Amino acid sequence: MDLGKLRAEFLICLPAKNMTWSKDIKFESMQQDVVAATIRNEILQKKPLPNSYIMNFMKVFMSKIEEFGGEISEVTFEAYGDILTKPVSEITYKHYDVKGVSISLQENNTLIAEGTTGLKTWQASQRMAEYLVDDCSLLKDKHVLELGAGLGLLGLTVCSLCNCGSYLLSDHHSSVLHKLQKNIAENSNNLLCIPSVVDIDWEEVSQNGFTNSLKEKIQCVDVVLAADVVYDVKIIQPLVQTLLLIIEIMKEEGKIFVASTIRNEATYESFLKELDEHGLVSNEVTKQSPQLFIYDKTANITILDITLRK
């Protein structure tokens, strides 16, 4: 059984039912190895996973042992008992391993939490990160602005593996901005570039433009990134208006990349139409990069290189 893969899947809270289980878990020695790689993993002592996830994992694990004709070992029972008696942690994490760098995020498993989608990591940010860290020359010494940064996985991955000049993480919801700051602090020891956080409200910007302080920051920007920001037709117009205003302010040779998981074709087509109507040209990035994260390989994810029509 590939314990390294199991450990990585466990630490990102992949549903246990979706894991590949080997019949070897019917043996006591393998059960001990599985428990050591997952439930007893030392990183969980300070940065625990959600208790509900661990409970579900153990139930599936023990069910699989019995399904394969094995007996649940004392070590496995002890681990399960510890979970039952352990206090529920208010603050929980997911842990991503990217090219040997561990990135820990305070994250929410629900689709929408506290009125925002920003408290969950989405697939397009992972695909975008894979594309960028595959060739860090794209961001070397560059000043980067990320829109809709959410919990910061894209930015923290880039700042851990690429030597950016600076990195500005932006979002608007107060809970998201708070978690962003927390996640930067949690991972600061692994960062080559420490990102800063700023509040950018696309609705406000599209109606009233950027404040002078934000203009000063954007004037230095070489690269704009956004991932999984095209999910609701209501935000498409303010998003495109914000991109237009950024293009007016940022460096003339600047680049804009937007990654999207296409869940609704009509919503995505509305985004492409809005870009075109505002004089923005979108070209799909076709380069394939090695998969570094664990997510559905069949997901329809695109990365667009967006420029102003000449």
Side-chain angles (χ1 to χ4, degrees), residues 68-95:
F68 295 144
E71 292 186 2
I72 299 171
S73 71
E74 185 176 337
V75 168
T76 303
F77 268 126
E78 284 181 359
Y80 185 60
D82 288 347
I83 296 165
L84 292 174
T85 58
K86 188 175 181 179
V88 176
S89 301
E90 292 184 9
I91 298 174
T92 60
Y93 299 79
K94 288 185 181 180
H95 307 278

Side-chain angles (χ1 to χ4, degrees), residues 18-76:
N18 296 342
M19 295 176 175
T20 303
W21 294 95
S22 166
K23 291 184 178 180
D24 290 344
I25 62 172
K26 66 184 180 181
F27 300 116
E28 183 177 350
S29 59
M30 181 55 72
Q31 290 181 43
Q32 186 171 346
D33 289 343
V34 169
V35 168
T38 57
I39 307 302
R40 303 294 193 203
N41 193 294
E42 61 182 4
I43 196 171
L44 304 186
Q45 298 302 313
K46 293 183 177 180
K47 300 178 181 180
L49 303 184
N51 186 265
S52 58
Y53 172 77
I54 296 177
M55 285 289 294
N56 179 262
F57 172 86
M58 286 302 295
K59 287 177 181 178
V60 172
F61 177 36
M62 292 189 294
S63 174
K64 289 292 181 181
I65 292 170
E66 294 177 334
E67 180 184 324
F68 295 144
E71 292 186 2
I72 299 171
S73 71
E74 185 176 337
V75 168
T76 303

Side-chain angles (χ1 to χ4, degrees), residues 7-282:
R7 173 185 180 275
E9 292 174 341
F10 175 78
L11 290 177
I12 65 163
C13 298
L14 184 76
K17 65 180 181 179
N18 296 342
M19 295 176 175
T20 303
W21 294 95
S22 166
K23 291 184 178 180
D24 290 344
I25 62 172
K26 66 184 180 181
F27 300 116
E28 183 177 350
S29 59
M30 181 55 72
Q31 290 181 43
Q32 186 171 346
D33 289 343
V34 169
V35 168
T38 57
I39 307 302
R40 303 294 193 203
N41 193 294
E42 61 182 4
I43 196 171
L44 304 186
Q45 298 302 313
K46 293 183 177 180
K47 300 178 181 180
L49 303 184
N51 186 265
S52 58
Y53 172 77
I54 296 177
M55 285 289 294
N56 179 262
F57 172 86
M58 286 302 295
K59 287 177 181 178
V60 172
F61 177 36
M62 292 189 294
S63 174
K64 289 292 181 181
I65 292 170
E66 294 177 334
E67 180 184 324
F68 295 144
E71 292 186 2
I72 299 171
S73 71
E74 185 176 337
V75 168
T76 303
F77 268 126
E78 284 181 359
Y80 185 60
D82 288 347
I83 296 165
L84 292 174
T85 58
K86 188 175 181 179
V88 176
S89 301
E90 292 184 9
I91 298 174
T92 60
Y93 299 79
K94 288 185 181 180
H95 307 278
Y96 301 83
D97 191 294
V98 191
K99 289 190 170 184
V101 176
S102 179
I103 299 172
S104 299
L105 299 183
Q106 290 186 26
E107 192 165 322
N108 196 305
N109 287 322
T110 58
L111 182 65
I112 297 176
E114 299 180 43
T116 176
T117 59
L119 293 172
K120 177 180 171 67
T121 292
W122 300 92
Q123 293 172 327
S125 64
Q126 297 171 327
R127 179 69 64 83
M128 175 84 91
E130 290 168 348
Y131 168 67
L132 294 169
V133 302
D134 188 41
D135 181 10
C136 279
S137 65
L138 290 168
L139 299 179
K140 182 175 173 56
D141 299 325
K142 302 296 185 184
H143 300 285
V144 183
L145 166 65
E146 183 181 345
L147 299 176
L151 293 170
L153 180 62
L154 170 57
L156 291 171
T157 302
V158 166
C159 289
S160 296
L161 297 167
C162 300
N163 282 295
C164 304
S166 66
Y167 201 106
L168 193 60
L169 292 159
S170 74
D171 214 292
H172 176 56
H173 197 282
S174 58
S175 294
V176 178
L177 295 172
H178 177 70
K179 281 284 176 68
L180 263 177
Q181 296 281 16
K182 291 284 188 182
N183 286 334
I184 291 170
E186 291 281 2
N187 295 279
S188 58
N189 289 340
N190 292 329
L191 300 176
L192 301 174
C193 165
I194 303 295
S196 53
V197 176
V198 66
D199 183 345
I200 296 182
D201 179 357
W202 306 338
E203 288 278 1
E204 175 67 22
V205 169
S206 65
Q207 294 175 19
N208 301 310
F210 286 105
T211 61
N212 288 333
S213 61
L214 279 174
K215 281 182 181 178
E216 289 179 9
K217 290 180 171 67
I218 295 170
Q219 284 172 352
C220 303
V221 168
D222 301 288
V223 180
V224 176
L225 305 175
D228 262 322
V229 293
V230 182
Y231 56 86
D232 185 344
V233 290
K234 291 184 291 186
I235 59 92
I236 288 175
Q237 187 174 8
L239 169 61
V240 173
Q241 291 281 2
T242 299
L243 290 174
L244 274 172
L245 290 169
I246 289 173
I247 288 173
E248 292 177 7
I249 302 169
M250 70 187 293
K251 292 181 180 179
E252 188 174 345
E253 68 278 11
K255 304 281 287 181
I256 296 178
F257 296 102
V258 176
S260 303
T261 304
I262 303 176
R263 301 176 183 86
N264 183 304
E265 290 282 353
T267 301
Y268 188 68
E269 288 299 322
S270 295
F271 175 59
L272 296 179
K273 182 180 178 182
E274 193 77 16
L275 290 172
D276 182 64
E277 289 179 352
H278 285 82
L280 295 173
V281 178
S282 58

